[in-house]
Amino acid sequence: MNFYFEAVAVLDKLDAKKGSIKGVLASVPEKNRKRTAALVIETLKYKQVLNEVIDAAQLLKQEKKLSSRNLALVLVHDLLLARGIQAGDGPIKQAVLRHRTRLNGEFQRLKIKRGAKTQEELAQTDDSRAASIPRYIRVNLTCWSLDEALKVFEAQGFEQGDPLSSKKAFKIDDHIPDLLAFHPSVKFTEDPLYLSGKIILQDKASCFPAHVLCPPSNDRAQVIDATAAPGNKTSHLSAIMQNKGKLFAFERDRKRFTTLKNMLARAHCSNVEAVNLDFLTVSPEDSKFAGVTHILLDPSCSGSGIVNRMDHLLDNEEEGDGNYERLNKLAAFQLKMIRHAMKFPSVKRIAYSTCSIHAIENEHVVGQALKTEEAVVGHFKLAHREEVLPNWHRRGIAEEMNGEVDNASRLVRCSPGEDGTNGFFVSLFIRAGAEGESEGQSKLKRKSDDEATRHRPAKKKKKQSTATT
């Protein structure tokens, strides 16, 4: 039964809103993760149906050995929708099997009631917005070049074009030079390129923070990723730094820390020192971090912008005071992280990001941060739009920044499903006098841009129309 108890523990954490599905599953031991993930996801897809069947059969009322609803959910799922309960005989398994006939009868009645011809028709469908988001992969420049990657994909039969129009089409991203977009249905999790760390599966918007932070690529560079697990942004920072200098990656949770170390090893990040500590407990006066100039902050958030993961299966958006109270707690924590980062004596740039669409976690946090003692004494302000993805169209909401149009324009927003990304928010605090892009990042971007330009398909010249208007 241990397998089922592990799945129940994941569902309990999700009910308590202790993370996204992907994040919570990442804490499951790797040897059990694939099997546990499959059960959790399938149970969530049929959760509403399974709850109705369990209640109609009065299973929990009649069987006290079923200690929780989530335990009943995973067992009934396997009884009705899989190959049966995969556990040796015991009191808990028998407690469910005693009601097999009643449970199956209620399930068949529910199918008829809903007009479902197959059990798949009872499952919760995917978030429709996910269909407009390509499958993004970041070419890991610590291993090879964009030029080499393009040749490999073209040799596999992929052609440059609109990735949403064909499963064999892909394109170089317009904003992140080492990012490629493929059709949403293309899978890379078993691809040797992914397994060897040559490509990183990472949503486009998730690449923005490291790109905007723009750390230097020299042996003197010192950078912090304050909340590093699972490691995508950390590995991106390492690539931008060309594996030079020192990158401190903090993760307080022990299991997520193990995930982080495994990811960094696969991505060949040799300049990273992973630290199993809460960033907030680290003293800015510690001489070890005296030279840190760049800090990336991507703290816990509501995750309300994520649509192309599995989190549409969760009831994340509570109504009323409960959700408002939760968002306020998250915002207070996010502000605390920014204030702490501003205390580091040599820090020049702080990228703050969330995968939230809520202003309370985004514009409001940034606005409050600018008024703190740390910001005033440290002379921190928002970087000009020219330094924060200047060609990105969707910016901060001025109304949520007390009508400060200029400051709002310095922020970046992504709308889920509308911008070809998940929902996201990015800001960049800079210390007065620290404006401008780092030399190392400039060189890296120019090199990547040159490689990308060589492989972009030439635009066809439009025929001049002879019609008058």
Side-chain angles (χ1 to χ4, degrees), residues 128-133 305 307 414-423:
S128 59
R129 295 174 294 180
S132 64
I133 301 177
V307 299
C414 303
S415 180
E418 295 181 34
D419 297 328
T421 71
N422 282 284

Side-chain angles (χ1 to χ4, degrees), residues 136-139 146 171-174 176-181 200 202-205 207:
Y136 290 104
I137 66 161
R138 179 169 55 79
V139 176
L146 178 63
K171 68 170 290 189
I172 302 168
D173 187 68
D174 295 327
I176 305 297
D178 49 348
L179 193 69
L180 304 178
I200 309 294
Q202 188 171 1
D203 183 64
K204 174 176 178 173
C207 296

Side-chain angles (χ1 to χ4, degrees), residues 338-344 347 350 372 374-375 380 429 431:
I338 296 173
R339 296 183 68 174
H340 188 64
M342 287 179 173
K343 294 176 183 177
F344 283 74
V347 69
I350 301 169
T372 62
E374 291 80 5
F380 283 99
F429 297 94
R431 196 186 293 271

